[in-house]
Amino acid sequence: MTPESKLEELLIDAEADDEVVQHSHPRVLRPWLLLLGLVLVALNLRPALSSLSPLLSEVSGSLGLSAARAGLLTTLPVLCLGLFAPLAPLLARRFGAERVVLGILLTLAAGIILRSSFGEAGLFAGSLVAGASIGIIGVLLPGIVKRDFASQAGTMTGVYTMALCLGAALAAGATVPLSHYFGDSWHIGLGFWMVPALVAALCWLPQVGQKHAAHQVAYRVKGLLRDPLAWQVTLYMGLQSSLAYIVFGWVPSILISRGLSATEAGLALSGSIIVQLLSALTAPWLATRGKDQRLAIVLVMLLTLGGLFGCLYAPLDGLWGWAILLGLGQGGTFSLALTLIVLRSRDAHVAANLSGMAQGIGYTLASLGPLAVGVLHDWTGGWGATGWVFGVIGVGAIIAGWGAGRALYVGVTSEKA
């Protein structure tokens, strides 16, 4: 398989083990409506994560949260991404992917409302519900894209990535201005993001009536947990994700402590996320031009670490340069993590199972990063020591990525159940 055709497999199907679904190609009656629904759903997969960080200082002060408890608040949604991702294929086989996406969009909206309206208990419970919702939809949506837009998989990979980044950037940049507009209410600033979730649910509703093939589990993949290469892919996914969610959760607070306003810090995060589009779309293409992906992984991770250290230590008059550097690095680290899942797998069934392992275990591991930053800030009373967390995670990601980037396949195969 050529590098170009491999890149078209970046949208891993959570139901790739289902032979009937895999070989059925239902006719989409209104593809424009499905495309609109997919984009709106994807737009909602990051705002619950990126909207809190610019307001975290205000929320913590209002509710009396310590830095460690605030760190737990940033950790919970990421932890749920990993813990609830394995439920997605099971729910899809039981109820159908379209019905699950609709139902989970409503639970996402409920989690956002809960997070913004019921004090500290609601804040933590709502974050848990929102994170679980995002974890489930994030596994199902790529499979729907692959099934219904099979001949445009490469293009839809770009659309999907752009929607994710745009949703994160909008929430990071607009949450503080929204809260100011509504009387400096962080409750409304956070709660506003239930509106796009409900709009997405309304636009997704017509998809629930579509008829698709019955489900029949046909393939089984054994031995991934004993495969060293699979663990290297998983560790790279988890460690690069840990840095990403540290950025979502803590970089605005770091910048505010250095003298920026909450609005300025949110805009810096938003700009960095927008820049991710450039490297997210180009890094996989460039990485498949060489014999393996090791040098590409090292390069994007060094860009990420350079941007993080710049935001933490460098003079603020060069902040936007460091934010751009950070965005270029993190867009590449994430897209390469997805690329490795495909390139290290012999077929779609192995890729689906490796994707489940990388997301389930990787995101669970990733949740420890934001927690560590909060605990360290609580111990030291400042942000200077946070650089050690960045460095340790970054070096770990480079080591894991050096192994995962080799031109090898995981040593497992798929077989009929």
Side-chain angles (χ1 to χ4, degrees):
M1 183 177 288
T2 66
E4 289 82 0
S5 60
K6 279 282 191 181
L7 287 180
E8 291 193 351
E9 296 296 319
L10 283 178
L11 293 171
I12 299 294
D13 190 344
E15 299 176 81
D17 286 347
D18 193 314
E19 189 173 61
V20 174
V21 174
Q22 184 185 8
H23 292 292
S24 66
H25 300 284
R27 185 167 63 93
V28 181
L29 299 179
R30 293 186 294 274
W32 65 269
L33 186 58
L34 174 59
L35 179 59
L36 174 63
L38 288 168
V39 169
L40 289 176
V41 174
L43 281 170
N44 282 278
L45 296 186
R46 291 297 179 267
L49 303 175
S50 63
S51 60
L52 177 61
S53 55
L55 286 172
L56 189 57
S57 297
E58 184 177 344
V59 173
S60 297
S62 173
L63 298 178
L65 299 180
S66 66
R69 285 157 70 196
L72 181 60
L73 186 61
T74 62
T75 296
L76 268 180
V78 185
L79 180 62
C80 290
L81 293 181
L83 294 180
F84 286 84
L87 286 179
L90 303 177
L91 290 172
R93 292 190 180 107
R94 176 68 176 82
F95 301 104
E98 288 74 21
R99 287 186 177 86
V100 174
V101 169
L102 177 62
I104 298 300
L105 279 172
L106 297 178
T107 66
L108 174 60
I112 293 172
I113 295 172
L114 183 62
R115 185 176 71 164
S116 60
S117 304
F118 295 94
E120 182 178 346
L123 189 66
F124 281 90
S127 296
L128 190 153
V129 172
S133 302
I134 294 168
I136 293 172
I137 295 180
V139 173
L140 292 180
L141 203 62
I144 296 173
V145 171
K146 281 188 69 174
R147 185 195 63 204
D148 292 332
F149 293 96
S151 61
Q152 300 93 24
T155 301
M156 288 303 300
T157 301
V159 172
Y160 177 71
T161 304
M162 290 174 64
L164 287 176
C165 292
L166 182 59
L170 285 174
T175 299
V176 173
L178 280 169
S179 68
H180 290 336
Y181 182 80
F182 290 103
D184 291 326
S185 171
W186 64 262
H187 302 276
I188 296 178
L190 292 181
F192 171 83
W193 301 103
M194 68 129 181
V195 175
L198 292 175
V199 171
L202 183 64
C203 291
W204 188 257
L205 187 60
Q207 306 307 321
V208 174
Q210 299 294 318
K211 293 186 180 297
H212 299 290
H215 295 273
Q216 173 184 318
V217 178
Y219 285 87
R220 179 183 301 150
V221 175
K222 294 181 178 180
L224 271 181
L225 291 176
R226 297 189 299 272
D227 188 274
L229 182 57
W231 276 105
Q232 289 166 342
V233 172
T234 297
L235 288 173
Y236 176 71
M237 169 65 85
L239 291 169
Q240 68 82 27
S241 295
S242 187
L243 288 178
Y245 291 115
I246 287 173
V247 170
F248 280 162
W250 287 114
V251 163
S253 296
I254 292 172
L255 295 177
I256 290 169
S257 74
R258 299 193 64 201
L260 268 63
S261 69
T263 299
E264 291 170 334
L267 289 175
L269 176 60
S270 178
S272 181
I273 296 170
I274 286 292
V275 171
Q276 290 183 21
L277 286 172
L278 298 175
S279 54
L281 297 176
T282 58
W285 184 83
L286 291 173
T288 54
R289 290 306 181 266
K291 63 178 182 179
D292 58 40
Q293 291 70 50
R294 289 179 291 181
L295 291 180
I297 287 168
V298 172
L299 175 61
V300 294
M301 190 54 62
L302 290 177
L303 290 174
T304 298
L305 289 174
L308 282 170
F309 285 125
C311 290
L312 183 60
Y313 299 120
L316 287 178
D317 55 9
L319 173 64
W320 276 99
W322 297 114
I324 290 171
L325 192 68
L326 175 61
L328 290 173
Q330 291 204 300
T333 59
F334 176 67
S335 58
L336 283 178
L338 296 180
T339 305
L340 289 176
I341 293 171
V342 174
L343 296 181
R344 302 291 86 90
S345 303
R346 293 184 183 276
D347 58 48
H349 309 292
V350 174
N353 283 268
L354 181 57
S355 177
M357 176 179 173
Q359 290 187 70
I361 298 176
Y363 284 140
T364 303
L365 173 66
S367 67
L368 299 177
L371 180 61
V373 170
V375 171
L376 190 60
H377 176 62
D378 223 16
W379 283 349
T380 63
W383 297 105
T386 306
W388 286 100
V389 178
F390 297 161
V392 169
I393 296 175
V395 170
I398 289 173
I399 293 172
W402 191 261
R406 295 170 297 162
L408 302 172
Y409 289 115
V410 294
V412 299
T413 57
S414 58
E415 55 188 40
K416 286 197 173 183

